[in-house]
mmCIF file with all atom_site columns, all heavy atoms in Angstrom:
data_model
loop_
_atom_site.group_PDB
_atom_site.id
_atom_site.type_symbol
_atom_site.label_atom_id
_atom_site.label_alt_id
_atom_site.label_comp_id
_atom_site.label_asym_id
_atom_site.label_entity_id
_atom_site.label_seq_id
_atom_site.pdbx_PDB_ins_code
_atom_site.Cartn_x
_atom_site.Cartn_y
_atom_site.Cartn_z
_atom_site.occupancy
_atom_site.B_iso_or_equiv
_atom_site.pdbx_formal_charge
_atom_site.auth_seq_id
_atom_site.auth_comp_id
_atom_site.auth_asym_id
_atom_site.auth_atom_id
_atom_site.pdbx_PDB_model_num
ATOM 1   N N   . THR A 1 1  ? 18.802 3.896  -9.600  1.00 92.00 ? 1  THR A N   1
ATOM 2   C CA  . THR A 1 1  ? 19.709 3.826  -8.437  1.00 92.00 ? 1  THR A CA  1
ATOM 3   C C   . THR A 1 1  ? 19.005 3.192  -7.238  1.00 92.00 ? 1  THR A C   1
ATOM 4   O O   . THR A 1 1  ? 19.591 2.390  -6.520  1.00 92.00 ? 1  THR A O   1
ATOM 5   C CB  . THR A 1 1  ? 20.268 5.222  -8.093  1.00 92.00 ? 1  THR A CB  1
ATOM 6   O OG1 . THR A 1 1  ? 20.960 5.725  -9.237  1.00 92.00 ? 1  THR A OG1 1
ATOM 7   C CG2 . THR A 1 1  ? 21.244 5.156  -6.915  1.00 92.00 ? 1  THR A CG2 1
ATOM 8   N N   . ALA A 1 2  ? 17.732 3.533  -7.035  1.00 93.00 ? 2  ALA A N   1
ATOM 9   C CA  . ALA A 1 2  ? 16.974 2.924  -5.949  1.00 93.00 ? 2  ALA A CA  1
ATOM 10  C C   . ALA A 1 2  ? 16.802 1.427  -6.191  1.00 93.00 ? 2  ALA A C   1
ATOM 11  O O   . ALA A 1 2  ? 16.977 0.620  -5.256  1.00 93.00 ? 2  ALA A O   1
ATOM 12  C CB  . ALA A 1 2  ? 15.605 3.594  -5.799  1.00 93.00 ? 2  ALA A CB  1
ATOM 13  N N   . THR A 1 3  ? 16.491 1.054  -7.411  1.00 91.00 ? 3  THR A N   1
ATOM 14  C CA  . THR A 1 3  ? 16.331 -0.377 -7.735  1.00 91.00 ? 3  THR A CA  1
ATOM 15  C C   . THR A 1 3  ? 17.628 -1.120 -7.452  1.00 91.00 ? 3  THR A C   1
ATOM 16  O O   . THR A 1 3  ? 17.613 -2.200 -6.860  1.00 91.00 ? 3  THR A O   1
ATOM 17  C CB  . THR A 1 3  ? 15.928 -0.536 -9.210  1.00 91.00 ? 3  THR A CB  1
ATOM 18  O OG1 . THR A 1 3  ? 14.707 0.196  -9.432  1.00 91.00 ? 3  THR A OG1 1
ATOM 19  C CG2 . THR A 1 3  ? 15.721 -1.995 -9.571  1.00 91.00 ? 3  THR A CG2 1
ATOM 20  N N   . ALA A 1 4  ? 18.764 -0.517 -7.849  1.00 90.00 ? 4  ALA A N   1
ATOM 21  C CA  . ALA A 1 4  ? 20.040 -1.160 -7.571  1.00 90.00 ? 4  ALA A CA  1
ATOM 22  C C   . ALA A 1 4  ? 20.328 -1.227 -6.074  1.00 90.00 ? 4  ALA A C   1
ATOM 23  O O   . ALA A 1 4  ? 20.798 -2.260 -5.573  1.00 90.00 ? 4  ALA A O   1
ATOM 24  C CB  . ALA A 1 4  ? 21.172 -0.385 -8.304  1.00 90.00 ? 4  ALA A CB  1
ATOM 25  N N   . TRP A 1 5  ? 20.038 -0.134 -5.362  1.00 91.00 ? 5  TRP A N   1
ATOM 26  C CA  . TRP A 1 5  ? 20.305 -0.091 -3.915  1.00 91.00 ? 5  TRP A CA  1
ATOM 27  C C   . TRP A 1 5  ? 19.508 -1.167 -3.186  1.00 91.00 ? 5  TRP A C   1
ATOM 28  O O   . TRP A 1 5  ? 20.001 -1.839 -2.305  1.00 91.00 ? 5  TRP A O   1
ATOM 29  C CB  . TRP A 1 5  ? 19.977 1.300  -3.353  1.00 91.00 ? 5  TRP A CB  1
ATOM 30  C CG  . TRP A 1 5  ? 20.172 1.324  -1.869  1.00 91.00 ? 5  TRP A CG  1
ATOM 31  C CD1 . TRP A 1 5  ? 19.224 1.227  -0.902  1.00 91.00 ? 5  TRP A CD1 1
ATOM 32  C CD2 . TRP A 1 5  ? 21.420 1.401  -1.186  1.00 91.00 ? 5  TRP A CD2 1
ATOM 33  N NE1 . TRP A 1 5  ? 19.805 1.261  0.341   1.00 91.00 ? 5  TRP A NE1 1
ATOM 34  C CE2 . TRP A 1 5  ? 21.146 1.356  0.198   1.00 91.00 ? 5  TRP A CE2 1
ATOM 35  C CE3 . TRP A 1 5  ? 22.750 1.500  -1.611  1.00 91.00 ? 5  TRP A CE3 1
ATOM 36  C CZ2 . TRP A 1 5  ? 22.158 1.414  1.159   1.00 91.00 ? 5  TRP A CZ2 1
ATOM 37  C CZ3 . TRP A 1 5  ? 23.748 1.551  -0.645  1.00 91.00 ? 5  TRP A CZ3 1
ATOM 38  C CH2 . TRP A 1 5  ? 23.439 1.502  0.718   1.00 91.00 ? 5  TRP A CH2 1
ATOM 39  N N   . TYR A 1 6  ? 18.228 -1.325 -3.599  1.00 91.00 ? 6  TYR A N   1
ATOM 40  C CA  . TYR A 1 6  ? 17.361 -2.305 -2.951  1.00 91.00 ? 6  TYR A CA  1
ATOM 41  C C   . TYR A 1 6  ? 17.541 -3.713 -3.569  1.00 91.00 ? 6  TYR A C   1
ATOM 42  O O   . TYR A 1 6  ? 16.773 -4.611 -3.270  1.00 91.00 ? 6  TYR A O   1
ATOM 43  C CB  . TYR A 1 6  ? 15.899 -1.880 -3.055  1.00 91.00 ? 6  TYR A CB  1
ATOM 44  C CG  . TYR A 1 6  ? 15.574 -0.622 -2.270  1.00 91.00 ? 6  TYR A CG  1
ATOM 45  C CD1 . TYR A 1 6  ? 14.896 0.418  -2.890  1.00 91.00 ? 6  TYR A CD1 1
ATOM 46  C CD2 . TYR A 1 6  ? 15.886 -0.494 -0.934  1.00 91.00 ? 6  TYR A CD2 1
ATOM 47  C CE1 . TYR A 1 6  ? 14.574 1.581  -2.189  1.00 91.00 ? 6  TYR A CE1 1
ATOM 48  C CE2 . TYR A 1 6  ? 15.570 0.646  -0.226  1.00 91.00 ? 6  TYR A CE2 1
ATOM 49  C CZ  . TYR A 1 6  ? 14.908 1.690  -0.836  1.00 91.00 ? 6  TYR A CZ  1
ATOM 50  O OH  . TYR A 1 6  ? 14.584 2.806  -0.146  1.00 91.00 ? 6  TYR A OH  1
ATOM 51  N N   . ARG A 1 7  ? 18.521 -3.834 -4.456  1.00 89.00 ? 7  ARG A N   1
ATOM 52  C CA  . ARG A 1 7  ? 18.836 -5.104 -5.135  1.00 89.00 ? 7  ARG A CA  1
ATOM 53  C C   . ARG A 1 7  ? 17.611 -5.703 -5.799  1.00 89.00 ? 7  ARG A C   1
ATOM 54  O O   . ARG A 1 7  ? 17.348 -6.919 -5.678  1.00 89.00 ? 7  ARG A O   1
ATOM 55  C CB  . ARG A 1 7  ? 19.466 -6.081 -4.143  1.00 89.00 ? 7  ARG A CB  1
ATOM 56  C CG  . ARG A 1 7  ? 20.843 -5.607 -3.673  1.00 89.00 ? 7  ARG A CG  1
ATOM 57  C CD  . ARG A 1 7  ? 21.423 -6.517 -2.609  1.00 89.00 ? 7  ARG A CD  1
ATOM 58  N NE  . ARG A 1 7  ? 22.769 -6.181 -2.267  1.00 89.00 ? 7  ARG A NE  1
ATOM 59  C CZ  . ARG A 1 7  ? 23.141 -5.133 -1.524  1.00 89.00 ? 7  ARG A CZ  1
ATOM 60  N NH1 . ARG A 1 7  ? 22.234 -4.287 -1.092  1.00 89.00 ? 7  ARG A NH1 1
ATOM 61  N NH2 . ARG A 1 7  ? 24.417 -4.923 -1.233  1.00 89.00 ? 7  ARG A NH2 1
ATOM 62  N N   . GLY A 1 8  ? 16.841 -4.838 -6.467  1.00 80.00 ? 8  GLY A N   1
ATOM 63  C CA  . GLY A 1 8  ? 15.689 -5.305 -7.224  1.00 80.00 ? 8  GLY A CA  1
ATOM 64  C C   . GLY A 1 8  ? 14.435 -5.515 -6.389  1.00 80.00 ? 8  GLY A C   1
ATOM 65  O O   . GLY A 1 8  ? 13.365 -5.798 -6.940  1.00 80.00 ? 8  GLY A O   1
ATOM 66  N N   . ASP A 1 9  ? 14.545 -5.412 -5.065  1.00 85.00 ? 9  ASP A N   1
ATOM 67  C CA  . ASP A 1 9  ? 13.368 -5.537 -4.194  1.00 85.00 ? 9  ASP A CA  1
ATOM 68  C C   . ASP A 1 9  ? 12.553 -4.240 -4.339  1.00 85.00 ? 9  ASP A C   1
ATOM 69  O O   . ASP A 1 9  ? 13.025 -3.170 -3.948  1.00 85.00 ? 9  ASP A O   1
ATOM 70  C CB  . ASP A 1 9  ? 13.833 -5.730 -2.750  1.00 85.00 ? 9  ASP A CB  1
ATOM 71  C CG  . ASP A 1 9  ? 12.681 -5.835 -1.774  1.00 85.00 ? 9  ASP A CG  1
ATOM 72  O OD1 . ASP A 1 9  ? 11.563 -6.197 -2.188  1.00 85.00 ? 9  ASP A OD1 1
ATOM 73  O OD2 . ASP A 1 9  ? 12.901 -5.548 -0.569  1.00 85.00 ? 9  ASP A OD2 1
ATOM 74  N N   . VAL A 1 10 ? 11.392 -4.352 -4.918  1.00 81.00 ? 10 VAL A N   1
ATOM 75  C CA  . VAL A 1 10 ? 10.590 -3.147 -5.201  1.00 81.00 ? 10 VAL A CA  1
ATOM 76  C C   . VAL A 1 10 ? 10.057 -2.542 -3.900  1.00 81.00 ? 10 VAL A C   1
ATOM 77  O O   . VAL A 1 10 ? 9.385  -3.222 -3.119  1.00 81.00 ? 10 VAL A O   1
ATOM 78  C CB  . VAL A 1 10 ? 9.428  -3.463 -6.160  1.00 81.00 ? 10 VAL A CB  1
ATOM 79  C CG1 . VAL A 1 10 ? 8.575  -2.240 -6.411  1.00 81.00 ? 10 VAL A CG1 1
ATOM 80  C CG2 . VAL A 1 10 ? 9.979  -3.990 -7.482  1.00 81.00 ? 10 VAL A CG2 1
ATOM 81  N N   . ARG A 1 11 ? 10.394 -1.291 -3.670  1.00 89.00 ? 11 ARG A N   1
ATOM 82  C CA  . ARG A 1 11 ? 9.888  -0.540 -2.504  1.00 89.00 ? 11 ARG A CA  1
ATOM 83  C C   . ARG A 1 11 ? 8.903  0.500  -3.002  1.00 89.00 ? 11 ARG A C   1
ATOM 84  O O   . ARG A 1 11 ? 9.044  1.000  -4.116  1.00 89.00 ? 11 ARG A O   1
ATOM 85  C CB  . ARG A 1 11 ? 11.035 0.147  -1.775  1.00 89.00 ? 11 ARG A CB  1
ATOM 86  C CG  . ARG A 1 11 ? 12.133 -0.751 -1.309  1.00 89.00 ? 11 ARG A CG  1
ATOM 87  C CD  . ARG A 1 11 ? 11.689 -1.614 -0.116  1.00 89.00 ? 11 ARG A CD  1
ATOM 88  N NE  . ARG A 1 11 ? 12.703 -2.577 0.252   1.00 89.00 ? 11 ARG A NE  1
ATOM 89  C CZ  . ARG A 1 11 ? 13.618 -2.407 1.202   1.00 89.00 ? 11 ARG A CZ  1
ATOM 90  N NH1 . ARG A 1 11 ? 13.671 -1.280 1.876   1.00 89.00 ? 11 ARG A NH1 1
ATOM 91  N NH2 . ARG A 1 11 ? 14.473 -3.355 1.480   1.00 89.00 ? 11 ARG A NH2 1
ATOM 92  N N   . PRO A 1 12 ? 7.929  0.860  -2.186  1.00 93.00 ? 12 PRO A N   1
ATOM 93  C CA  . PRO A 1 12 ? 6.961  1.860  -2.643  1.00 93.00 ? 12 PRO A CA  1
ATOM 94  C C   . PRO A 1 12 ? 7.604  3.224  -2.896  1.00 93.00 ? 12 PRO A C   1
ATOM 95  O O   . PRO A 1 12 ? 8.564  3.606  -2.213  1.00 93.00 ? 12 PRO A O   1
ATOM 96  C CB  . PRO A 1 12 ? 5.938  1.930  -1.490  1.00 93.00 ? 12 PRO A CB  1
ATOM 97  C CG  . PRO A 1 12 ? 6.657  1.399  -0.290  1.00 93.00 ? 12 PRO A CG  1
ATOM 98  C CD  . PRO A 1 12 ? 7.683  0.428  -0.805  1.00 93.00 ? 12 PRO A CD  1
ATOM 99  N N   . MET A 1 13 ? 7.095  3.925  -3.900  1.00 97.00 ? 13 MET A N   1
ATOM 100 C CA  . MET A 1 13 ? 7.586  5.253  -4.291  1.00 97.00 ? 13 MET A CA  1
ATOM 101 C C   . MET A 1 13 ? 6.359  6.128  -4.533  1.00 97.00 ? 13 MET A C   1
ATOM 102 O O   . MET A 1 13 ? 5.377  5.665  -5.106  1.00 97.00 ? 13 MET A O   1
ATOM 103 C CB  . MET A 1 13 ? 8.437  5.126  -5.557  1.00 97.00 ? 13 MET A CB  1
ATOM 104 C CG  . MET A 1 13 ? 8.975  6.401  -6.148  1.00 97.00 ? 13 MET A CG  1
ATOM 105 S SD  . MET A 1 13 ? 10.501 7.016  -5.420  1.00 97.00 ? 13 MET A SD  1
ATOM 106 C CE  . MET A 1 13 ? 11.688 5.749  -5.850  1.00 97.00 ? 13 MET A CE  1
ATOM 107 N N   . VAL A 1 14 ? 6.426  7.366  -4.062  1.00 98.00 ? 14 VAL A N   1
ATOM 108 C CA  . VAL A 1 14 ? 5.351  8.321  -4.308  1.00 98.00 ? 14 VAL A CA  1
ATOM 109 C C   . VAL A 1 14 ? 5.943  9.569  -4.947  1.00 98.00 ? 14 VAL A C   1
ATOM 110 O O   . VAL A 1 14 ? 7.110  9.892  -4.748  1.00 98.00 ? 14 VAL A O   1
ATOM 111 C CB  . VAL A 1 14 ? 4.589  8.715  -3.018  1.00 98.00 ? 14 VAL A CB  1
ATOM 112 C CG1 . VAL A 1 14 ? 3.832  7.523  -2.447  1.00 98.00 ? 14 VAL A CG1 1
ATOM 113 C CG2 . VAL A 1 14 ? 5.520  9.304  -1.957  1.00 98.00 ? 14 VAL A CG2 1
ATOM 114 N N   . GLN A 1 15 ? 5.102  10.257 -5.723  1.00 98.00 ? 15 GLN A N   1
ATOM 115 C CA  . GLN A 1 15 ? 5.501  11.551 -6.294  1.00 98.00 ? 15 GLN A CA  1
ATOM 116 C C   . GLN A 1 15 ? 4.887  12.629 -5.422  1.00 98.00 ? 15 GLN A C   1
ATOM 117 O O   . GLN A 1 15 ? 3.683  12.618 -5.171  1.00 98.00 ? 15 GLN A O   1
ATOM 118 C CB  . GLN A 1 15 ? 5.010  11.689 -7.713  1.00 98.00 ? 15 GLN A CB  1
ATOM 119 C CG  . GLN A 1 15 ? 5.374  13.033 -8.324  1.00 98.00 ? 15 GLN A CG  1
ATOM 120 C CD  . GLN A 1 15 ? 4.852  13.217 -9.733  1.00 98.00 ? 15 GLN A CD  1
ATOM 121 O OE1 . GLN A 1 15 ? 4.061  12.438 -10.247 1.00 98.00 ? 15 GLN A OE1 1
ATOM 122 N NE2 . GLN A 1 15 ? 5.302  14.276 -10.393 1.00 98.00 ? 15 GLN A NE2 1
ATOM 123 N N   . LEU A 1 16 ? 5.731  13.544 -4.960  1.00 98.00 ? 16 LEU A N   1
ATOM 124 C CA  . LEU A 1 16 ? 5.217  14.713 -4.231  1.00 98.00 ? 16 LEU A CA  1
ATOM 125 C C   . LEU A 1 16 ? 4.827  15.758 -5.280  1.00 98.00 ? 16 LEU A C   1
ATOM 126 O O   . LEU A 1 16 ? 5.672  16.315 -5.965  1.00 98.00 ? 16 LEU A O   1
ATOM 127 C CB  . LEU A 1 16 ? 6.302  15.280 -3.290  1.00 98.00 ? 16 LEU A CB  1
ATOM 128 C CG  . LEU A 1 16 ? 5.982  16.610 -2.619  1.00 98.00 ? 16 LEU A CG  1
ATOM 129 C CD1 . LEU A 1 16 ? 4.605  16.618 -1.950  1.00 98.00 ? 16 LEU A CD1 1
ATOM 130 C CD2 . LEU A 1 16 ? 7.065  16.974 -1.624  1.00 98.00 ? 16 LEU A CD2 1
ATOM 131 N N   . LEU A 1 17 ? 3.528  15.957 -5.406  1.00 97.00 ? 17 LEU A N   1
ATOM 132 C CA  . LEU A 1 17 ? 2.976  16.963 -6.323  1.00 97.00 ? 17 LEU A CA  1
ATOM 133 C C   . LEU A 1 17 ? 2.757  18.237 -5.505  1.00 97.00 ? 17 LEU A C   1
ATOM 134 O O   . LEU A 1 17 ? 2.171  18.203 -4.432  1.00 97.00 ? 17 LEU A O   1
ATOM 135 C CB  . LEU A 1 17 ? 1.661  16.491 -6.922  1.00 97.00 ? 17 LEU A CB  1
ATOM 136 C CG  . LEU A 1 17 ? 1.760  15.243 -7.804  1.00 97.00 ? 17 LEU A CG  1
ATOM 137 C CD1 . LEU A 1 17 ? 0.367  14.694 -8.108  1.00 97.00 ? 17 LEU A CD1 1
ATOM 138 C CD2 . LEU A 1 17 ? 2.501  15.576 -9.090  1.00 97.00 ? 17 LEU A CD2 1
ATOM 139 N N   . TYR A 1 18 ? 3.225  19.337 -6.037  1.00 96.00 ? 18 TYR A N   1
ATOM 140 C CA  . TYR A 1 18 ? 3.121  20.625 -5.351  1.00 96.00 ? 18 TYR A CA  1
ATOM 141 C C   . TYR A 1 18 ? 2.555  21.679 -6.307  1.00 96.00 ? 18 TYR A C   1
ATOM 142 O O   . TYR A 1 18 ? 2.660  21.534 -7.526  1.00 96.00 ? 18 TYR A O   1
ATOM 143 C CB  . TYR A 1 18 ? 4.496  21.040 -4.800  1.00 96.00 ? 18 TYR A CB  1
ATOM 144 C CG  . TYR A 1 18 ? 5.556  21.151 -5.869  1.00 96.00 ? 18 TYR A CG  1
ATOM 145 C CD1 . TYR A 1 18 ? 5.774  22.360 -6.526  1.00 96.00 ? 18 TYR A CD1 1
ATOM 146 C CD2 . TYR A 1 18 ? 6.299  20.033 -6.255  1.00 96.00 ? 18 TYR A CD2 1
ATOM 147 C CE1 . TYR A 1 18 ? 6.721  22.433 -7.535  1.00 96.00 ? 18 TYR A CE1 1
ATOM 148 C CE2 . TYR A 1 18 ? 7.248  20.118 -7.264  1.00 96.00 ? 18 TYR A CE2 1
ATOM 149 C CZ  . TYR A 1 18 ? 7.441  21.328 -7.891  1.00 96.00 ? 18 TYR A CZ  1
ATOM 150 O OH  . TYR A 1 18 ? 8.369  21.399 -8.890  1.00 96.00 ? 18 TYR A OH  1
ATOM 151 N N   . PRO A 1 19 ? 1.981  22.751 -5.781  1.00 95.00 ? 19 PRO A N   1
ATOM 152 C CA  . PRO A 1 19 ? 1.334  23.745 -6.638  1.00 95.00 ? 19 PRO A CA  1
ATOM 153 C C   . PRO A 1 19 ? 2.301  24.743 -7.264  1.00 95.00 ? 19 PRO A C   1
ATOM 154 O O   . PRO A 1 19 ? 3.445  24.893 -6.807  1.00 95.00 ? 19 PRO A O   1
ATOM 155 C CB  . PRO A 1 19 ? 0.378  24.467 -5.678  1.00 95.00 ? 19 PRO A CB  1
ATOM 156 C CG  . PRO A 1 19 ? 1.057  24.362 -4.360  1.00 95.00 ? 19 PRO A CG  1
ATOM 157 C CD  . PRO A 1 19 ? 1.777  23.031 -4.359  1.00 95.00 ? 19 PRO A CD  1
ATOM 158 N N   . ASP A 1 20 ? 1.818  25.425 -8.303  1.00 93.00 ? 20 ASP A N   1
ATOM 159 C CA  . ASP A 1 20 ? 2.595  26.547 -8.883  1.00 93.00 ? 20 ASP A CA  1
ATOM 160 C C   . ASP A 1 20 ? 2.440  27.754 -7.957  1.00 93.00 ? 20 ASP A C   1
ATOM 161 O O   . ASP A 1 20 ? 1.757  27.683 -6.932  1.00 93.00 ? 20 ASP A O   1
ATOM 162 C CB  . ASP A 1 20 ? 2.152  26.837 -10.321 1.00 93.00 ? 20 ASP A CB  1
ATOM 163 C CG  . ASP A 1 20 ? 0.710  27.356 -10.443 1.00 93.00 ? 20 ASP A CG  1
ATOM 164 O OD1 . ASP A 1 20 ? 0.112  27.768 -9.437  1.00 93.00 ? 20 ASP A OD1 1
ATOM 165 O OD2 . ASP A 1 20 ? 0.181  27.320 -11.572 1.00 93.00 ? 20 ASP A OD2 1
ATOM 166 N N   . ARG A 1 21 ? 3.042  28.859 -8.325  1.00 91.00 ? 21 ARG A N   1
ATOM 167 C CA  . ARG A 1 21 ? 3.038  30.012 -7.400  1.00 91.00 ? 21 ARG A CA  1
ATOM 168 C C   . ARG A 1 21 ? 1.644  30.628 -7.255  1.00 91.00 ? 21 ARG A C   1
ATOM 169 O O   . ARG A 1 21 ? 1.426  31.427 -6.345  1.00 91.00 ? 21 ARG A O   1
ATOM 170 C CB  . ARG A 1 21 ? 4.046  31.058 -7.876  1.00 91.00 ? 21 ARG A CB  1
ATOM 171 C CG  . ARG A 1 21 ? 3.737  31.669 -9.205  1.00 91.00 ? 21 ARG A CG  1
ATOM 172 C CD  . ARG A 1 21 ? 4.713  32.795 -9.535  1.00 91.00 ? 21 ARG A CD  1
ATOM 173 N NE  . ARG A 1 21 ? 4.514  33.164 -10.926 1.00 91.00 ? 21 ARG A NE  1
ATOM 174 C CZ  . ARG A 1 21 ? 5.483  33.239 -11.817 1.00 91.00 ? 21 ARG A CZ  1
ATOM 175 N NH1 . ARG A 1 21 ? 6.699  32.992 -11.473 1.00 91.00 ? 21 ARG A NH1 1
ATOM 176 N NH2 . ARG A 1 21 ? 5.214  33.565 -13.037 1.00 91.00 ? 21 ARG A NH2 1
ATOM 177 N N   . ASN A 1 22 ? 0.692  30.256 -8.141  1.00 92.00 ? 22 ASN A N   1
ATOM 178 C CA  . ASN A 1 22 ? -0.686 30.745 -7.993  1.00 92.00 ? 22 ASN A CA  1
ATOM 179 C C   . ASN A 1 22 ? -1.564 29.753 -7.216  1.00 92.00 ? 22 ASN A C   1
ATOM 180 O O   . ASN A 1 22 ? -2.763 29.966 -7.090  1.00 92.00 ? 22 ASN A O   1
ATOM 181 C CB  . ASN A 1 22 ? -1.299 31.025 -9.364  1.00 92.00 ? 22 ASN A CB  1
ATOM 182 C CG  . ASN A 1 22 ? -0.549 32.132 -10.069 1.00 92.00 ? 22 ASN A CG  1
ATOM 183 O OD1 . ASN A 1 22 ? -0.268 33.181 -9.477  1.00 92.00 ? 22 ASN A OD1 1
ATOM 184 N ND2 . ASN A 1 22 ? -0.198 31.914 -11.322 1.00 92.00 ? 22 ASN A ND2 1
ATOM 185 N N   . GLY A 1 23 ? -0.969 28.657 -6.755  1.00 93.00 ? 23 GLY A N   1
ATOM 186 C CA  . GLY A 1 23 ? -1.700 27.690 -5.940  1.00 93.00 ? 23 GLY A CA  1
ATOM 187 C C   . GLY A 1 23 ? -2.375 26.575 -6.719  1.00 93.00 ? 23 GLY A C   1
ATOM 188 O O   . GLY A 1 23 ? -3.072 25.748 -6.140  1.00 93.00 ? 23 GLY A O   1
ATOM 189 N N   . PHE A 1 24 ? -2.171 26.534 -8.045  1.00 95.00 ? 24 PHE A N   1
ATOM 190 C CA  . PHE A 1 24 ? -2.789 25.479 -8.855  1.00 95.00 ? 24 PHE A CA  1
ATOM 191 C C   . PHE A 1 24 ? -1.907 24.240 -8.855  1.00 95.00 ? 24 PHE A C   1
ATOM 192 O O   . PHE A 1 24 ? -0.686 24.346 -8.974  1.00 95.00 ? 24 PHE A O   1
ATOM 193 C CB  . PHE A 1 24 ? -3.040 25.947 -10.292 1.00 95.00 ? 24 PHE A CB  1
ATOM 194 C CG  . PHE A 1 24 ? -4.132 26.941 -10.429 1.00 95.00 ? 24 PHE A CG  1
ATOM 195 C CD1 . PHE A 1 24 ? -3.824 28.283 -10.615 1.00 95.00 ? 24 PHE A CD1 1
ATOM 196 C CD2 . PHE A 1 24 ? -5.472 26.553 -10.373 1.00 95.00 ? 24 PHE A CD2 1
ATOM 197 C CE1 . PHE A 1 24 ? -4.855 29.229 -10.739 1.00 95.00 ? 24 PHE A CE1 1
ATOM 198 C CE2 . PHE A 1 24 ? -6.483 27.491 -10.500 1.00 95.00 ? 24 PHE A CE2 1
ATOM 199 C CZ  . PHE A 1 24 ? -6.182 28.838 -10.677 1.00 95.00 ? 24 PHE A CZ  1
ATOM 200 N N   . MET A 1 25 ? -2.522 23.084 -8.765  1.00 96.00 ? 25 MET A N   1
ATOM 201 C CA  . MET A 1 25 ? -1.809 21.794 -8.829  1.00 96.00 ? 25 MET A CA  1
ATOM 202 C C   . MET A 1 25 ? -1.588 21.429 -10.309 1.00 96.00 ? 25 MET A C   1
ATOM 203 O O   . MET A 1 25 ? -2.346 21.875 -11.169 1.00 96.00 ? 25 MET A O   1
ATOM 204 C CB  . MET A 1 25 ? -2.600 20.722 -8.110  1.00 96.00 ? 25 MET A CB  1
ATOM 205 C CG  . MET A 1 25 ? -2.752 21.008 -6.604  1.00 96.00 ? 25 MET A CG  1
ATOM 206 S SD  . MET A 1 25 ? -1.189 20.956 -5.690  1.00 96.00 ? 25 MET A SD  1
ATOM 207 C CE  . MET A 1 25 ? -0.949 19.207 -5.509  1.00 96.00 ? 25 MET A CE  1
ATOM 208 N N   . PRO A 1 26 ? -0.578 20.589 -10.601 1.00 95.00 ? 26 PRO A N   1
ATOM 209 C CA  . PRO A 1 26 ? -0.241 20.297 -11.997 1.00 95.00 ? 26 PRO A CA  1
ATOM 210 C C   . PRO A 1 26 ? -1.335 19.567 -12.777 1.00 95.00 ? 26 PRO A C   1
ATOM 211 O O   . PRO A 1 26 ? -1.293 19.538 -13.990 1.00 95.00 ? 26 PRO A O   1
ATOM 212 C CB  . PRO A 1 26 ? 1.020  19.434 -11.900 1.00 95.00 ? 26 PRO A CB  1
ATOM 213 C CG  . PRO A 1 26 ? 1.126  19.002 -10.498 1.00 95.00 ? 26 PRO A CG  1
ATOM 214 C CD  . PRO A 1 26 ? 0.352  19.977 -9.667  1.00 95.00 ? 26 PRO A CD  1
ATOM 215 N N   . TYR A 1 27 ? -2.329 19.041 -12.100 1.00 94.00 ? 27 TYR A N   1
ATOM 216 C CA  . TYR A 1 27 ? -3.435 18.368 -12.786 1.00 94.00 ? 27 TYR A CA  1
ATOM 217 C C   . TYR A 1 27 ? -4.657 19.272 -12.907 1.00 94.00 ? 27 TYR A C   1
ATOM 218 O O   . TYR A 1 27 ? -5.716 18.837 -13.371 1.00 94.00 ? 27 TYR A O   1
ATOM 219 C CB  . TYR A 1 27 ? -3.795 17.059 -12.064 1.00 94.00 ? 27 TYR A CB  1
ATOM 220 C CG  . TYR A 1 27 ? -3.903 17.234 -10.571 1.00 94.00 ? 27 TYR A CG  1
ATOM 221 C CD1 . TYR A 1 27 ? -5.074 17.713 -9.980  1.00 94.00 ? 27 TYR A CD1 1
ATOM 222 C CD2 . TYR A 1 27 ? -2.830 16.922 -9.745  1.00 94.00 ? 27 TYR A CD2 1
ATOM 223 C CE1 . TYR A 1 27 ? -5.157 17.894 -8.611  1.00 94.00 ? 27 TYR A CE1 1
ATOM 224 C CE2 . TYR A 1 27 ? -2.918 17.084 -8.371  1.00 94.00 ? 27 TYR A CE2 1
ATOM 225 C CZ  . TYR A 1 27 ? -4.084 17.575 -7.814  1.00 94.00 ? 27 TYR A CZ  1
ATOM 226 O OH  . TYR A 1 27 ? -4.166 17.740 -6.441  1.00 94.00 ? 27 TYR A OH  1
#
């Protein structure tokens, strides 16, 4: 949907990584 909205013009995208309830990150 973003690709269609921007008509194929690639815009930067980031993933917001957040911790589990014990404070550990997914990596």
Side-chain angles (χ1 to χ4, degrees):
T1 301
T3 302
W5 177 259
Y6 294 129
R7 293 175 174 74
D9 179 23
V10 177
R11 302 288 174 95
M13 177 84 65
V14 294
Q15 179 182 11
L16 171 51
L17 296 168
Y18 58 90
D20 65 16
R21 65 175 169 232
N22 296 313
F24 288 103
M25 296 295 281
Y27 46 82

